[in-house]
Amino acid sequence: MRALVGTALLAALLMHVDGRQILAALRQLEPAWAAASAALILSSTLIGAYNSHLFIGRDGAVPWAVFLPVYWVGWALNLIVPGQVGDIAGISALLRARHLPWHISVGRSLLDKVITIVMMAVCAAAGLLLAWHDFRSRWPPLAYRTEAGFWLVASGLVVGTTVLLIAALKSGRPGVVRFRRFFSDTAHELLATARHHPQRVLLNFMFTAVKIFVTGAAYWCMFRAFGEEGAGIISVTLIAAASSLVAYIPISVNGIGTVEIAGVLLFGALQLPAATVVSAYLMLRVLVLILAWVPAGLWLLLRSDTPAAA
């Protein structure tokens, strides 16, 4: 269902944007800048793997050489499931073969995910302010109504989610009881990692900031590949972070359609044409899928099925 939603949203966007302009942009793609974007994506992924290993491998149970391919498979899975949780699920499932309990791998991975979301939210807030200033200057009445509607919907979602979660956790059904126990163990592992390894937490924050900038530089290079030279790398990084947060809303697979629509709206503040933004996002998706699934697929095909090799 979510795949259909994402496909429908992307199709609607492609119908809105002139397809001939997208094809013209793709024909003008500069391979050198696209290759630079790919190299930056690889660098960002390696930084992400190091960040995750800071927590999951903190007691030496999972060596780096073992963890890296596991992380890569988790990254690949995250590209085809909704909600940005495929990496945690995939990593935890594969690490079960090394007898690492679910609550430990999930708790430590969640700490890394929380830090990433916090850092991205800070950058996204700056990007949204940049785009909002442009939006308010062009359509003041619509901007005020949009702002009021946003806060109303956001407040309703927060309150509704909190009420539903509390009601579910208070249920006495066996499945809920097991979930409460797992939730408690996971939260304990997350807090214990944060409390007893502050140096690793600080390193994670620092490298997460670097990762966000490197990812933004990949977007910037891709825009350069399509001939856009006016946007600054910092502005592109901030707005890319804002559009990427949309992928965490689980209404489509990995934010397909929703992220592109957000990108067109937000990058409009930098005066980037919609056709260029859509072309860049589509090319980035293709690059990411290739860079993730070619190594991950080879590792899954060649690995032994024995627990020792996993």
Side-chain angles (χ1 to χ4, degrees):
M1 181 63 184
R2 291 186 176 98
L4 292 176
V5 171
T7 303
L9 290 172
L10 186 58
L13 178 62
L14 291 175
M15 290 176 63
H16 173 72
V17 179
D18 191 344
R20 291 172 298 182
Q21 293 181 11
I22 295 176
L23 290 175
L26 290 172
R27 285 195 292 267
Q28 295 173 3
L29 179 73
E30 295 186 26
W33 282 109
S37 181
L40 288 165
I41 291 170
L42 286 175
S43 301
S44 174
T45 305
L46 289 171
I47 295 171
Y50 174 77
N51 264 349
S52 185
H53 188 256
L54 278 173
F55 296 147
I56 291 181
R58 63 178 174 82
D59 51 10
V62 186
W64 170 255
V66 172
F67 179 75
L68 182 58
V70 169
Y71 179 88
W72 216 271
V73 171
W75 175 39
L77 289 173
N78 200 43
L79 300 174
I80 59 173
V81 299
Q84 298 287 318
V85 295
D87 51 351
I88 294 178
I91 290 170
S92 299
L94 290 169
L95 290 180
R96 280 291 293 149
R98 297 190 64 85
H99 310 291
L100 193 67
W102 281 95
H103 70 273
I104 291 180
S105 57
V106 172
R108 296 178 185 180
S109 295
L110 275 177
L111 179 57
D112 175 53
K113 183 73 75 174
V114 167
I115 292 173
T116 297
I117 292 175
V118 168
M119 295 294 289
M120 282 190 65
V122 172
C123 294
L128 287 173
L129 285 175
L130 179 64
W132 189 251
H133 177 74
D134 176 75
F135 183 56
R136 291 181 69 176
S137 64
R138 287 193 283 178
W139 297 291
L142 179 60
Y144 289 121
R145 288 195 293 270
T146 302
E147 188 173 9
F150 168 79
W151 286 114
L152 181 62
V153 172
S155 301
L157 287 174
V158 171
V159 172
T161 302
T162 303
V163 170
L164 290 174
L165 183 59
I166 292 174
L169 290 177
K170 285 186 175 181
S171 172
R173 289 181 294 180
V176 177
V177 172
R178 289 194 297 270
F179 174 77
R180 278 206 305 262
R181 187 180 303 115
F182 173 77
F183 181 83
S184 175
D185 292 342
T186 299
H188 174 77
E189 184 64 30
L190 186 155
L191 294 174
T193 301
R195 184 184 306 116
H196 299 301
H197 299 273
Q199 297 91 346
R200 290 177 181 263
V201 172
L202 179 60
L203 277 175
N204 191 289
F205 268 106
M206 292 170 58
F207 279 104
T208 298
V210 174
K211 178 186 175 183
I212 291 172
F213 178 78
V214 172
T215 303
Y219 279 79
W220 182 78
C221 285
M222 187 57 69
F223 286 132
R224 291 296 300 268
F226 286 102
E228 290 296 333
E229 302 179 359
I233 190 170
I234 300 300
S235 298
V236 169
T237 298
L238 296 178
I239 292 183
S243 67
S244 296
L245 278 182
V246 178
Y248 284 88
I249 303 174
I251 63 174
S252 68
V253 176
N254 197 39
I256 292 176
T258 57
V259 171
E260 284 78 8
I261 291 172
V264 169
L265 294 174
L266 294 172
F267 277 111
L270 301 183
Q271 311 305 318
L272 293 182
T276 299
V277 175
V278 173
S279 301
Y281 270 69
L282 291 177
M283 183 57 64
L284 284 167
R285 280 199 183 275
V286 171
L287 275 180
V288 167
L289 284 170
I290 293 172
L291 294 173
W293 272 106
V294 170
L298 288 174
W299 183 76
L300 288 172
L301 287 173
L302 298 176
R303 67 188 281 266
S304 169
D305 289 331
T306 60

